[in-house]
Amino acid sequence: MTASGATALTRYHWAAGFINGLIQAPPTPAPGTPMEEVRARARARMERLRAFLSVLGNPQERYRIAHIGGTSGKGSTAAMLAGILHAAGYHTGLHISPYLQVETEKLQINGRLIAGDRFADYVEHVAAAMEEWTRSGGQRLTYGEFWLALVLWAFAQERVEFAVIEVGAGGRFDLTNVVRSEVAVITSVGIDHVATLGHTIPEIAWHKAGIIKPGRPAITTVDDPAALDVIQHEAEEQGSPLTHLVPERDFRVLSSDATGTQVLDIASGTVFHVPLPGEFQGANAAAAIAAARALGDLPRGPIDDPAVAAGLAATRFPGRMEVVQERPRVVLDGAHNPAKMASLTRNLDRLGRRRRRIVVFGSLDSHDYLTMANLVAQAADEVIVTTPMATQRAAADARVLADAIMAAGRPAEVVAEPRDAIVAALERATPDDEIVATGSLYLVGAVREHWYRGDDIVLACSSWPPQRSGHTNNGSGSRAGT
């Protein structure tokens, strides 16, 4: 490593440590907290963030924004839309949430992670502004508030023309909803984050629909009538034209395998390819295409099909049905709710069935982990249960998960550390087997270190840095974490 690389890493780690030092409490409210109290806290956070952004000069008003929400698919859709905008010639920022391994994943410019030293520069600036703000009587920002201020400030400094912003959770009271977007996309509505969003589909849909802005177009691929009714009502109230995309009427998935997904845009008759496996990526691609076409008054005119095709073809997204090696095949997917897990298990065989499937599984305690465990048991030949680690967030009891899987008729054992669990799976797998690591994005981020080290990602400004000597993606060797 060069001296400049070492300096950049040192500064990056300082900046990441500073941000993580702002985490003071679990992100979800205590059980039994009244919903109105939850919403009041969220509104207060949004107002504090708006006030601080005004101190920064409202950087979010210096570029155009697309806002992407939904229970599942929002990250992939955001990445696809950012790729399309970049292919159309626009200097484009992408914010995804959460990150898998390194903080700079949340700040991407034209498909590249922001450099570690530039990341540190922006953290320094926003931290200094926060200190001045608190000295003047303002409340110190929380972790999430600081992050959004940092992202929106950094995009302004990078002079992006468009920013694609992925919602964290929900939408109406999510911190990202301080922006005024040109287009809103709602990919799906499912049961998740019930402590803050509610326990029913209409309640959760109301939160998702909150990102729709007055008079601005909205796109949705939601197919649940109970959720769609809520979204349509919100669009009517906001005077927003809503495009509802329906499979076989508006788009058709022609194929999906290890090479990616082919989707037909029925209106134009054009077939597009996105190199992300999983039949569900067809709906995500359709949403990204519709969002790009819904953007009006573009300096370079309407986005044409060649730009759409180029942007989709260049899309990569780590940790979502990502194949990181072939013999044995290893698939990483952060399926952290039952709907995502069911979709993953339906689509795995599209990659080509292997002799035996070993699943490395773990979940946070805040998710419906027992339902996911039953889905894992149906899809696996054997399961290694592990414990994902997240700051201030409890993991589901690995022993409880293992017992549930064994009760469903599949062998299961506990290996506490995720990196030890993936090594154990690799050691027992034959070249013809398949290993799937899933259940939590935190788990996926930890095991992905076996193939791609976080420091290498920071230095390469890419989630796919070059493999180091002796560490390839064919199953030989292992990689230490950061």
Side-chain angles (χ1 to χ4, degrees), residues 182-414:
E182 299 282 327
V183 63
V185 179
I186 303 168
T187 57
S188 63
V189 175
I191 302 295
D192 203 4
H193 301 290
V194 295
T196 52
L197 305 184
H199 292 79
T200 70
I201 290 295
E203 285 178 307
I204 296 171
W206 180 79
H207 282 273
K208 307 293 184 188
I211 68 172
I212 297 173
K213 298 298 186 293
R216 300 298 187 183
I219 314 293
T220 188
T221 51
V222 167
D223 56 8
D224 186 319
L228 185 60
D229 284 348
V230 175
I231 294 167
Q232 289 173 330
H233 178 72
E234 183 74 27
E236 289 169 4
E237 283 200 333
Q238 299 297 337
S240 301
L242 176 67
T243 300
H244 176 218
L245 300 170
V246 178
E248 300 303 322
R249 186 193 71 187
D250 301 300
F251 67 94
R252 179 179 302 134
V253 177
L254 302 179
S255 65
S256 184
D257 55 27
T259 66
T261 303
Q262 297 276 108
V263 58
L264 169 67
D265 175 55
I266 292 175
S268 68
T270 306
V271 176
F272 296 102
H273 173 78
V274 57
L276 301 177
E279 189 176 30
F280 52 86
Q281 295 294 2
N284 296 336
I289 294 166
R293 289 174 175 166
L295 291 167
D297 190 27
L298 295 177
R300 299 177 181 86
I303 295 175
D304 57 21
D305 283 355
V308 171
L312 291 177
T315 302
R316 300 180 77 182
F317 204 53
R320 279 71 168 180
M321 279 197 75
E322 180 187 15
V323 179
V324 291
Q325 73 171 56
E326 279 292 351
R327 292 181 61 81
R329 178 192 291 141
V330 179
V331 182
L332 309 182
D333 190 272
H336 63 262
N337 61 47
K340 289 184 177 183
M341 187 64 73
S343 181
L344 170 64
T345 57
R346 282 196 308 270
N347 279 275
L348 280 172
D349 285 348
R350 291 178 176 272
L351 300 178
R353 192 70 169 96
R354 292 300 180 94
R355 186 182 71 86
R356 181 176 55 142
R357 180 176 293 147
I358 304 169
V359 176
V360 177
F361 173 61
S363 173
L364 296 185
D365 185 63
S366 57
H367 295 293
D368 187 357
Y369 52 83
L370 289 178
T371 300
M372 289 193 290
N374 283 318
L375 291 167
V376 166
Q378 295 170 29
D381 293 296
E382 60 180 277
V383 183
I384 299 174
V385 182
T386 189
T387 306
M389 301 297 293
T391 303
Q392 293 282 359
R393 301 189 69 174
D397 188 311
R399 188 70 263 164
V400 170
L401 293 178
D403 289 345
I405 290 163
M406 288 188 288
R410 288 292 185 270
E413 67 173 283
V414 173

Side-chain angles (χ1 to χ4, degrees), residues 39 117 178 402:
R39 292 177 182 176
D117 50 358
V178 299

Side-chain angles (χ1 to χ4, degrees), residues 38 48 58 94 129 151 209 246 375 408 434:
V38 173
R48 185 162 53 241
N58 287 313
L94 171 64
V151 167
V246 178
L375 291 167
E434 179 179 72

